[in-house]
Amino acid sequence: MIDEEFLAVVLAIIVVAAGIAVLQIFPIGRIAEPFSELAVLGPEMKIADYPKEIVAGEPFKLYLYVRNYEGKVMYYNVRVKLGNSSTQINETEPMNVPVMTRYDVVLLDGDNFTWPVALSIDEPGVNYRLVFEMWVYDEGSDGFRYHGRWCQLWLNVTTPIVP
Amino acid sequence: MKLLFKLLLAFALISLVFFGLGLPAASNGASADEAEDKLIEAFKAIAEAERMGGNVSSLVAELNEAIRLLEEGETYKNESLIDEAFLRAESIISRTSEVGREGAVEVQARVFQGVIVIVVFVALALVVWRYGPRLFWRLWVRGNGKRVVHRRTREAQGRNKRRKG
């Protein structure tokens, strides 16, 4: 006959193991609200030291960071545009100016990607607005759609000094 | 006759060189737009394979490599890089259905495993519900069986006070 104490301990272990197994079948980490991250980082890959004054025609360095929390694989397309203080942009409407350049990446859920970006502006001027818009591929419309995420940098572009 | 032979030989050589050089370019000759469309097609196939439960991480890595090739091809106007991007996207598309199928089988196995675990859990719960209390109280009695439990009544409290007094 099996000892009752031993039986009780075995039963308790089996109950705990079964509980853990059931929890694994119904994972608790489901995404409640899917979202994506877009960030512009300075030349040192930090959220600091952003350029404010640049020289026309000279490239300046930045980093672009994208993270996928959408719960599925996503095709991101970050569009770089140049506007000024009067150019409009918000969460529903992208900036209505030509695209300077674009960066594409496909990310699995939970993955992120950082691009080193070298840009230059040829025309001197003040209060330039360098905008980074996040677009995603939408299977419903079979095309890229503005995802409502955007970042900006205000820049003054000076004339290069001629020796 | 000799001249005709020479002419034919020259023509054959020229044709060979012309077609020989032309072949690699004609092997695909995809434009940047075509390559981009193919990349999107590959992404859609990957998304579908993921929905079926497939592990698409290696396909995503390959697609990103193809995207990089296309970007470089467009930047440096290099057609061979654009072709390479196109071919890689095609190769990804050809493998997504297999990855999707594997994923679907894996999902089925996981569901089956889940059902078994739940059945075992419910059976175990029934056993604990039926025999647990008896087992627990037997063990409790074994440990605490010699204790004498007194009922606290007003009379008993009065008796205790008188004893203390």
Side-chain angles (χ1 to χ4, degrees), chain A residues 31-52:
Chain A
I31 293 167
E33 199 176 331
F35 68 99
S36 301
E37 282 177 357
L38 170 69
V40 178
L41 308 173
E44 302 298 322
M45 249 181 139
K46 291 176 185 164
I47 311 171
D49 308 324
Y50 294 107
K52 287 177 186 138

Side-chain angles (χ1 to χ4, degrees), chain B residues 34-159:
Chain B
E34 282 170 333
E36 200 175 331
D37 288 346
K38 201 46 102 179
L39 290 178
I40 286 169
E41 204 182 312
F43 169 73
K44 285 198 272 190
I46 286 175
E48 183 56 33
E50 192 196 41
R51 275 194 289 273
M52 287 169 78
N55 179 3
V56 293
S57 51
S58 63
L59 294 175
V60 165
E62 271 186 62
L63 183 56
N64 280 324
E65 183 59 23
I67 289 170
R68 194 188 59 77
L69 285 170
L70 177 62
E71 280 172 357
E72 273 185 28
E74 281 181 311
T75 308
Y76 302 112
K77 307 273 181 260
N78 186 331
E79 281 179 21
S80 67
L81 288 177
I82 294 170
D83 279 355
E84 181 64 25
F86 184 91
L87 291 172
R88 287 205 187 188
E90 268 192 338
S91 154
I92 291 165
I93 293 164
S94 68
R95 279 175 292 141
T96 46
S97 54
E98 180 60 32
V99 172
R101 258 198 307 278
E102 282 171 9
V105 169
E106 222 170 88
V107 166
Q108 269 183 339
R110 231 178 294 151
V111 168
F112 182 68
Q113 185 192 341
V115 168
I116 287 174
V117 167
I118 288 170
V119 166
V120 168
F121 189 74
V122 168
L124 211 60
L126 284 172
V127 168
V128 171
W129 178 69
R130 177 72 182 81
Y131 299 105
R134 195 191 294 174
L135 192 66
F136 173 77
W137 283 118
R138 257 194 225 166
L139 287 173
W140 189 88
V141 166
R142 194 187 283 181
N144 304 282
K146 286 174 186 167
R147 281 194 188 180
V148 178
V149 182
H150 293 287
R151 196 175 167 199
R152 293 190 79 185
T153 60
R154 280 186 184 171
E155 290 155 23
Q157 278 173 356
R159 239 190 343 258

